[in-house]
Amino acid sequence: MGITYWLTNVRLETGYRRDNGVVSGTEASLFHILIKDGKFARIAPATEVLQDGIQQRDARGLLAIPSFVEKHVHLDKTLLGEEWRAVIPVSNIIERCEIEKRVLPGLPTTTKERAENLLAVLLSYGSTHVRTHVDIYPEAGISNLEEVKKALTTYQNLVSHEIVAFPQHGLLRTGAKGLLREALAQGATHVGGVDPAMVDGDIEESLHQMMELAVEANAGVDLHLHDPGHLGTFTMKRLAAMTIDAGWQGRVAISHAFALGDIPAPEAEEMATILREAGITIITSVPYSRVIPPVPLLHQNGVDVAVGCDNIFDTWQPYGNGDVLERLWRLAERSRWLDELSLSQSLRFITGGKTTLDVNGTQLWPAVGTDASLVLVEASCTAEAVARRADRKAVFFRGNLAAGKLEEVIAEEA
């Protein structure tokens, strides 16, 4: 059972202002929110005098928005906690994997320690749910999974999670099927895969084994797909067909999916239909160095899209800060979302689909009875929070203050 308290003087969005039918701004007011057993229990106008003796925490007019979902990260790969190092140049993905395989086991810090360092960073920026990929390959077995699970146990009251058993070096190429099966039995929630054509050399068999493992373990699927152009879209079509055959709609994701950004718009529209009918989610890290999936087109055509940070200071790249709001800002800029409505509604891509208002301005969040996971930001509205990457002052996970701080007031009994 969680503690009960009032979160007072919270700014909540209540609707859109319109000028000649066009959204020109966002309306917001101050409220008191009663949090009980990790859920929103009551929402009252800030003009109401609270005399129930319940503990209070003063939000001082900060804007509340749903906490974030970090949909793609690699907790086992980060070098956070180690001394600075740039990346060694390579010619291809296989060479990069071999360098990583040599470097990580020799580090003085443990995988658990580095994963905990990264979780602390993600949480500080507002992410209270994490989907992490964990490398599974013969030389390491499932040791990375075991270490990451320890780190997630440390954060179990602060962050929820999913774990993808990820055959980074190739499912077929390393004969990792048995290890993935073991990882799924030991707590992984999803089966991963990587470039069935370029890494495994056999699209059909690679996808077949991945889906077979998922169905066998009743697990989700998250495929890394870097392959470009029509090679990439052919792979997506085969995965979509297998997804429907297995009845796995809504349980499959494709990460990166660069190919969707390589093809003409009419073909992308066709692919959007295929992905929507298969219930496949597209996850992008919005890299500067590659074309990215056409997120506006996909969203308009009913495809679920999510944003994640991917690698953060590791042997693949020296960049990244763990701020998924910054990734959304990058996506908004690249997509030219300049108006109030587009910026406000874009929040869904980092919150698991949640927005504070629907497109008509009806308040959707927070709702009484739902989990009290939120971020308090220094902004007047969601659109400003996205466009200006607002400072996050406090992060709550299921009612618990997980990061940041607020002034606590001990209320007097009525």
Side-chain angles (χ1 to χ4, degrees):
M1 300 289 283
I3 61 173
T4 298
Y5 63 94
W6 283 100
L7 190 58
T8 62
N9 302 309
V10 183
R11 185 174 302 279
L12 297 179
E13 294 179 322
T14 57
Y16 290 126
R17 296 192 302 275
R18 296 181 186 271
D19 184 6
N20 294 323
V22 177
V23 173
S24 58
T26 302
E27 297 173 341
S29 297
L30 295 182
F31 292 85
H32 301 322
I33 304 175
L34 180 63
I35 295 175
K36 182 177 181 180
D37 297 333
K39 297 184 182 299
F40 298 118
R42 183 169 172 242
I43 301 172
T47 53
E48 182 174 318
V49 178
L50 303 177
Q51 295 181 316
D52 52 15
I54 295 174
Q55 181 187 71
Q56 299 174 19
R57 291 176 176 174
D58 191 353
R60 296 184 176 274
L62 293 171
L63 177 71
I65 57 177
S67 62
F68 307 150
V69 174
E70 170 49 77
K71 203 67 172 179
H72 186 123
V73 73
H74 296 261
L75 291 178
D76 62 323
K77 293 180 182 292
T78 185
L79 300 176
L80 283 173
E82 291 291 323
E83 293 183 356
W84 158 257
R85 66 177 74 199
V87 168
I88 301 170
V90 297
S91 301
N92 54 57
I93 190 174
I94 302 301
E95 289 182 14
R96 175 64 62 209
C97 289
E98 291 303 313
I99 287 177
E100 181 179 62
K101 196 161 36 173
R102 292 197 305 269
V103 169
L104 293 184
L107 296 174
T109 54
T110 66
T111 301
K112 172 181 177 289
E113 290 169 338
R114 297 191 302 275
E116 287 175 350
N117 291 338
L118 182 48
L119 282 167
V121 170
L122 297 173
L123 183 58
S124 73
Y125 282 121
S127 292
T128 61
H129 182 84
V130 171
R131 176 181 290 186
T132 180
H133 299 256
V134 176
D135 283 7
I136 306 293
Y137 56 96
E139 292 88 341
I142 65 167
S143 60
N144 289 322
L145 172 64
E146 292 166 347
E147 289 292 292
V148 167
K149 282 172 60 181
K150 292 175 185 176
L152 289 166
T153 297
T154 301
Y155 278 78
Q156 64 185 342
N157 294 321
L158 304 172
V159 173
S160 55
H161 68 270
E162 301 164 289
I163 302 174
V164 183
F166 180 42
Q168 169 74 79
H169 308 280
L171 175 55
L172 304 183
R173 186 171 171 271
T174 62
K177 187 176 181 181
L179 284 173
L180 291 186
R181 181 177 284 116
E182 183 181 356
L184 290 163
Q186 295 301 318
T189 59
H190 289 64
V191 182
V194 59
D195 297 340
M198 298 295 285
V199 174
D200 272 343
D202 187 332
I203 294 173
E204 202 71 15
E205 183 60 21
S206 182
L207 293 178
H208 173 74
Q209 288 195 20
M210 185 178 68
M211 290 301 302
E212 182 181 43
L213 284 164
V215 172
E216 176 186 297
N218 193 26
V221 172
D222 193 332
L223 171 69
H224 278 62
L225 187 60
H226 311 92
D227 290 342
H230 292 102
L231 176 59
T233 56
F234 176 79
T235 303
M236 292 182 207
K237 290 175 183 177
R238 291 303 302 137
L239 178 58
M242 292 184 187
T243 298
I244 292 172
D245 286 347
W248 239 238
Q249 294 96 320
R251 304 186 66 180
V252 176
I254 300 174
S255 290
H256 305 310
F258 297 128
L260 293 172
D262 291 330
I263 57 179
E267 290 184 35
E269 292 259 8
E270 293 175 9
M271 284 304 306
T273 299
I274 291 169
L275 294 167
R276 182 188 70 243
E277 291 177 350
I280 293 177
T281 298
I282 298 298
I283 302 171
T284 179
S285 63
V286 201
Y288 283 125
S289 58
R290 296 286 299 265
V291 296
I292 64 172
V295 173
L297 181 152
L298 294 172
H299 178 63
Q300 290 163 12
N301 283 276
V303 179
D304 286 336
V305 178
V307 171
C309 286
D310 196 9
N311 297 348
I312 298 164
F313 180 34
D314 56 16
T315 61
W316 290 69
Q317 60 177 342
Y319 308 116
N321 62 1
D323 186 356
V324 75
L325 180 61
E326 183 179 272
R327 295 292 172 131
L328 176 60
W329 168 81
R330 192 187 293 184
L331 174 62
E333 185 178 36
R334 290 185 66 161
S335 303
R336 292 197 59 76
W337 293 329
L338 307 176
D339 60 285
E340 186 86 10
L341 183 60
S342 297
L343 287 167
S344 173
Q345 291 295 308
S346 73
L347 190 68
R348 70 177 69 248
F349 300 121
I350 61 169
T351 60
K354 293 176 184 159
T355 56
T356 59
L357 305 170
D358 68 14
V359 294
N360 298 312
T362 302
Q363 189 179 56
L364 299 176
W365 182 97
V368 171
T370 61
D371 280 352
S373 296
L374 63 124
V375 185
L376 293 177
V377 300
E378 202 168 278
S380 63
C381 61
T382 296
E384 182 184 3
V386 173
R388 296 185 174 177
R389 292 170 290 173
D391 286 344
R392 274 127 286 177
K393 298 300 185 179
V395 181
F396 291 81
F397 174 65
R398 296 174 183 168
N400 294 315
L401 182 63
K405 60 182 180 180
L406 287 179
E407 180 180 343
E408 189 172 296
V409 179
I410 305 300
E412 297 294 332
E413 293 287 346

